[in-house]
Amino acid sequence: MELDRLGGTTVLRGSDVDANAFRERSRRRRFLRLAVLLASVAVWLWTRNIAGDPVRWGIPTLPSLPADVMMPLLLTALLAVVIGAPLVASGRSPHVVLRPSDVGVRMADVVGAPSTTRQAVDTLNLFLAHRTFTEVLGGNPRRGVLFEGPPGTGKTYLAKAMAGEAGVPFLYVSASSFQSMYYGSTNRKIRTFFRDLRRAARREGGAIGFIEEFDAIGSARASMGSGNVREGVAGIVNELLVQMQSFDLPTGRTAFIGKVIDRLNLWMPPHRQIPRPVDTPANVLVVAATNRASDLDPALLRPGRFDRLIHFGLPAREDRRAISQYYLSRKAHDATVTDDGLAEVTSGYSPVRIERLLDEALVCALRHRRSAMTWADVLEARLSLELGESGVSSPDLAERRRVAMHEAAHAVLAEHVGRRVTVASILRRSDALGLVAHVDVTERSLTTASEARALMEIALAGLVAEELELGEASSGAAGDLAAATTIAAQLVGAMGLGGSRLSMEAAIMPGAGNLVAKVLAHDPSREAAEKLISQAEAAARETLVANRHALMALSTALLEHDELDGDTVRQILSEASAAARGALIAGTQAEEP
């Protein structure tokens, strides 16, 4: 058995692929039919020559028609084209056929998603070895697979890789292109697409159909009285349900022969009945992609239709590391840019966003007249993509000092509670006058109550620092208060820290569309949230008073440099703490007699 091993997955090759054997048999049959046709023509020409009546080649003379007859005929033909062409075109399938040579992606190019890739390869192997799976193992072929996940997580990319590995026609279509202004044309386009898919599969041993943004035509049907139901949705979904069961329908030739045999069997006794021809079901795999699987009609997801759902999630740290390594091997960079560093700063990024980040870093390198990206370019690109291009700091010295104090307090609290600061800045970006970016030291999927309280302390630190050092807070703390309120509402309404284990997130309340609104509308929950915020504010105040030396040192550095990376922030905090300890020791020694 010839196999390709790709990252723990195995894709069938060579003689193990039933589609390859089918294509070889079909190729030989084509040559045989061509040979029979050419031989018949040669015998006919030879017979004409022997009989003394050879075939004479020439251009036949067309009959001439008078002008009063020719003009009406031309006008009638033109009118038929103008009227009929749109009607004919409205029923054509809008798909594009891609061959393996047109798809420059293979399964080896799919990195960072081992579980998803393994499920896709299993599906691909069942498709390639469909005859063995059905006749030898006794299994039922998998006809439909649904790719579901957030945008940019690689659904289309993996489908193209499957098509490149399978070596069969890949019929790509966007679901929205099925829709037409003519009533019933959408259903005709869907029928045509599945008909072409079956024909390609029977002609070449298999075919893969890929429908992008499947929810555009597969949304759940609703009752006729619903006001948000689009006209024709039920009919379109019904058409999809029928077509997903149509892979074993007979071809036109088989249906015609079957009708002829049925007529003949009317004259035959029971023991002389002629058996009807039976077609082998088309080897078809339909892959649909959507960002909203919950919106699809449940009948589409039952066994026999789209009976396999493969979820595409945002990559974890190790997956981001593999993805970063793959892209870095194709992009110019220096030694400061590593896959580990990228995996750390791209938490919550999809594969497409990671590639976009590196491309933007190359733009930054080009702007600074460098031939390769550096880590500083990556950080600059990350801030530009998330918060916009950097501007200048406030020209007013008092405002710059306030912003520096505010952001320094966020950084001090973040490092104090165990988070890792990646950048601190007082440069204007979009509507923000400054920012501090921080991440978990170790990536987690869950958040504990103590970690949520720590995030509240970080959010309130800027407000507290302004009050401690400048006498009063500014409007710059508005966003921080909103963030702290949101966290407190989640603790009370979703995590059961408001004196009750009931979840307000599960409640459906008119006029309260989100969890924060539900918590604020309920007096006991509101009081519990206010108590949590007060506790977080007191904790932040205590930390900043105890670490005032670090706060002042960092705010002074921000005023001087405008923007500091995470390593520089930690170095300043470490030096300030060492200086404070030295001063404390010196003061203690001076007090001793």
Side-chain angles (χ1 to χ4, degrees):
M1 178 179 291
E2 183 184 358
L3 301 173
D4 280 352
R5 301 195 177 275
L6 306 171
T9 59
T10 302
V11 181
L12 295 179
R13 291 279 187 248
S15 58
D16 296 305
V17 179
D18 295 330
N20 290 346
F22 179 88
R23 280 196 293 272
E24 180 61 22
R25 291 194 300 268
S26 298
R27 185 182 67 84
R28 294 179 180 179
R29 283 197 298 267
R30 292 190 194 98
F31 274 109
L32 180 60
R33 286 195 294 267
L34 180 62
V36 171
L37 176 62
L38 294 178
S40 301
V41 173
V43 169
W44 177 68
L45 293 175
W46 180 73
T47 304
R48 291 283 299 267
N49 284 330
I50 293 297
D53 183 22
V55 176
R56 303 183 184 277
W57 308 98
I59 300 175
T61 303
L62 298 176
S64 59
L65 296 175
D68 57 344
V69 176
M70 182 64 70
M71 289 304 296
L73 288 178
L74 290 177
L75 291 175
T76 303
L78 180 61
L79 184 62
V81 170
V82 171
I83 297 177
L87 297 178
V88 173
S90 65
R92 295 183 59 186
S93 174
H95 68 266
V96 177
V97 179
L98 300 177
R99 296 288 175 175
S101 58
D102 301 326
V103 181
V105 182
R106 296 296 183 267
M107 293 302 296
D109 299 314
V110 181
V111 295
S115 176
T116 301
T117 305
R118 182 173 61 251
Q119 296 180 66
V121 170
D122 289 342
T123 299
L124 183 60
N125 285 338
L126 292 180
F127 170 76
L128 295 174
H130 66 285
R131 190 180 298 275
T132 302
F133 183 69
T134 303
E135 298 178 358
V136 177
L137 301 180
N140 294 317
R142 185 176 293 172
R143 298 301 192 188
V145 179
L146 182 67
F147 287 176
E148 186 270 334
T153 48
K155 299 183 289 297
T156 304
Y157 190 81
L158 181 56
K160 289 183 177 179
M162 293 173 62
E165 293 288 347
V168 298
F170 181 75
L171 280 64
Y172 174 87
V173 66
S174 172
S176 59
S177 61
F178 281 120
Q179 297 174 350
S180 172
M181 62 180 293
Y182 299 105
Y183 188 82
S185 292
T186 300
N187 295 38
R188 286 200 299 272
K189 288 182 179 181
I190 294 174
R191 286 195 295 270
T192 306
F193 173 73
F194 279 89
R195 183 198 64 194
D196 293 347
L197 194 58
R198 292 192 298 268
R199 287 180 177 176
R202 289 192 169 103
R203 184 173 59 249
E204 304 196 31
I208 297 177
F210 181 72
I211 306 177
E212 184 72 276
E213 303 299 338
F214 187 58
D215 49 277
I217 58 174
S219 297
R221 295 165 291 183
S223 61
M224 296 301 294
S226 178
N228 60 352
V229 180
R230 299 188 306 273
E231 181 180 3
V233 167
I236 295 172
V237 174
N238 289 340
E239 187 65 47
L240 284 171
L241 297 176
V242 172
Q243 292 302 320
M244 287 301 297
Q245 304 291 123
S246 67
F247 303 123
D248 54 352
L249 292 179
T251 61
R253 175 177 173 273
T254 303
F256 175 76
I257 295 175
K259 289 182 180 179
V260 173
I261 292 176
D262 287 341
R263 292 299 180 94
L264 293 177
N265 283 337
L266 293 176
W267 302 89
M268 297 291 180
H271 62 283
R272 298 286 187 181
Q273 294 286 310
I274 305 173
R276 290 167 53 89
V278 179
D279 270 335
T280 302
N283 182 30
V284 169
L285 176 65
V286 180
V287 181
T290 180
N291 304 330
R292 303 178 308 191
S294 59
D295 292 346
L296 298 180
D297 194 276
L300 289 169
L301 305 180
R302 77 155 178 81
R305 293 181 178 127
F306 291 97
D307 51 3
R308 184 62 178 235
L309 188 147
I310 299 179
H311 177 73
F312 289 69
L314 295 175
R317 184 188 180 95
E318 285 303 314
D319 294 336
R320 294 198 306 274
R321 181 179 178 274
I323 295 168
S324 300
Q325 187 177 25
Y326 174 81
Y327 286 131
L328 285 177
S329 65
R330 290 159 171 77
K331 301 179 188 295
H333 64 283
D334 66 8
T336 61
V337 184
T338 63
D339 48 16
D340 286 329
L342 285 171
E344 179 180 345
V345 301
T346 55
S347 177
Y349 276 46
S350 66
V352 172
R353 286 189 67 190
I354 295 176
E355 184 181 18
R356 178 70 183 122
L357 172 65
L358 295 178
D359 287 340
E360 190 66 25
L362 289 175
V363 172
C364 295
L366 186 63
R367 183 187 304 141
H368 297 296
R369 300 183 181 275
R370 289 193 290 266
S371 59
M373 76 175 85
T374 65
W375 185 245
D377 295 327
V378 173
L379 294 180
E380 182 180 349
R382 179 170 175 259
L383 293 176
S384 298
L385 291 177
E386 294 184 0
L387 299 170
E389 291 290 339
S390 62
V392 296
S393 58
S394 174
D396 183 74
L397 181 59
E399 185 170 84
R400 290 183 73 245
R401 183 168 178 264
R402 181 178 292 275
V403 174
M405 189 68 64
H406 185 106
E407 302 305 335
H410 286 315
V412 169
L413 256 294
E415 289 288 336
H416 178 76
V417 300
R419 293 181 67 83
R420 185 178 181 86
V421 173
T422 58
V423 65
S425 173
I426 61 172
L427 295 177
R428 183 187 297 270
R429 292 179 184 272
S430 186
D431 294 332
L433 298 179
L435 63 94
V436 170
H438 51 87
V439 296
D440 281 323
V441 176
T442 57
E443 187 172 328
R444 303 183 183 93
S445 299
L446 300 175
T447 300
T448 64
S450 59
E451 290 167 350
R453 287 191 176 97
L455 292 175
M456 291 174 60
E457 293 176 23
I458 297 172
L460 295 171
L463 179 147
V464 172
E466 289 187 42
E467 291 180 344
L468 286 175
E469 301 298 333
L470 303 176
E472 60 180 349
S474 66
S475 59
D480 298 332
L481 285 174
T485 302
T486 300
I487 297 172
Q490 291 172 344
L491 288 171
V492 172
M495 299 178 64
L497 296 184
S500 172
R501 295 301 186 185
L502 293 177
S503 172
M504 300 194 71
E505 193 172 32
I508 300 177
M509 299 167 58
N514 56 54
L515 182 60
V516 176
K518 295 175 184 177
V519 170
L520 296 182
H522 184 242
D523 290 340
S525 299
R526 179 191 178 101
E527 293 175 1
E530 288 181 349
K531 182 178 179 181
L532 289 174
I533 293 176
S534 298
Q535 293 172 351
E537 181 183 358
R541 189 180 302 275
E542 180 181 353
T543 300
L544 290 177
V545 169
N547 295 273
R548 186 174 184 273
H549 56 281
L551 175 65
M552 301 307 295
L554 188 55
S555 62
T556 301
L558 283 173
L559 283 172
E560 181 179 355
H561 300 286
D562 287 338
E563 193 164 271
L564 303 171
D565 60 28
D567 292 335
T568 304
V569 168
R570 280 179 287 278
Q571 181 181 354
I572 293 172
L573 295 180
S574 177
E575 293 174 353
S577 298
R581 284 195 300 270
L584 179 61
I585 294 173
T588 303
Q589 292 175 347
E591 291 177 0
E592 293 179 356

